Amino acid sequence: MRTSRKIAACTALAAGVVVAAGPAMASPVPEVAPKGSCKLVTVSEAGRILGTPVGAGQQKTRTAQGITGDRCVWAAKKKGTGGLKGQPLQLEIVVESGATLVNDYNTAKSADPTKTDAVPGLGDDAFIKDLKLHVLVGDRVLSTALHNYRYPKPLTPQQIQQKDEDAAKLALGRLSPT
């Protein structure tokens, strides 16, 4: 039992939970953290990034052609937040790994340099293309994207990129080493 409490405390620290700064009646930290990519950003943080309350992240893992993708999507709770009728505003984080991933990353980055912008200061290398951020971290790629946003209003491409970067910074801080 002591070991599980120590693990829960370490998990709380890794998740950025600072109990001392919270309210006096802070809720206890759950013993079991969300799995996979959903543990990289909290529900509260996803809501702050999207600017609206969101539900719990929905996680899916898929393997295709030797690459495993662990995906989490947080969706706005409020109806009408997305730009597509009937679809909520969403934040997606994907962590991919596999033998050919670094080559695939470099190929995607160089495929159309006029539509690819380098993003300094994230991971080993990072670029944004089609308003989706890709960050190389060792032999993995972390990607962030907003879905169903209204464009060009209220979000500009710069605002979308900033939200992608904000999500990536949080996720990179919690991404376990390979």
Side-chain angles (χ1 to χ4, degrees), residues 25-108:
M25 301 294 290
S27 9
V29 176
E31 292 273 337
V32 179
K35 295 187 181 203
S37 54
C38 288
K39 70 181 176 184
L40 301 176
V41 173
T42 68
V43 171
S44 174
E45 291 166 339
R48 261 195 321 273
I49 290 166
L50 293 178
T52 186
V54 300
Q58 301 298 310
Q59 194 246 349
K60 290 183 182 178
T61 302
R62 189 181 113 167
T63 300
Q65 300 174 349
I67 294 179
T68 299
D70 181 6
R71 172 181 184 249
C72 191
V73 177
W74 294 264
K77 289 181 176 181
K78 185 178 175 184
K79 291 184 179 185
T81 57
L84 301 175
K85 190 172 182 167
Q87 298 296 316
L89 179 62
Q90 298 175 335
L91 170 64
E92 174 186 45
I93 293 180
V94 179
V95 179
E96 296 176 296
S97 59
T100 63
L101 191 60
V102 174
N103 287 337
D104 294 348
Y105 172 90
N106 289 323
T107 300

Side-chain angles (χ1 to χ4, degrees), residues 4-16:
S4 66
R5 285 188 182 147
K6 286 181 182 177
I7 292 170
C10 290
T11 302
L13 288 173

Side-chain angles (χ1 to χ4, degrees), residues 17-24 26:
V17 177
V18 180
V19 177

Side-chain angles (χ1 to χ4, degrees), residues 80-84 89 148-157 159-160:
T81 57
L84 301 175
L89 179 62
N148 304 324
Y149 51 84
R150 292 187 191 107
Y151 176 78
K153 292 183 180 181
L155 297 175
T156 65
Q159 290 169 318
I160 294 167

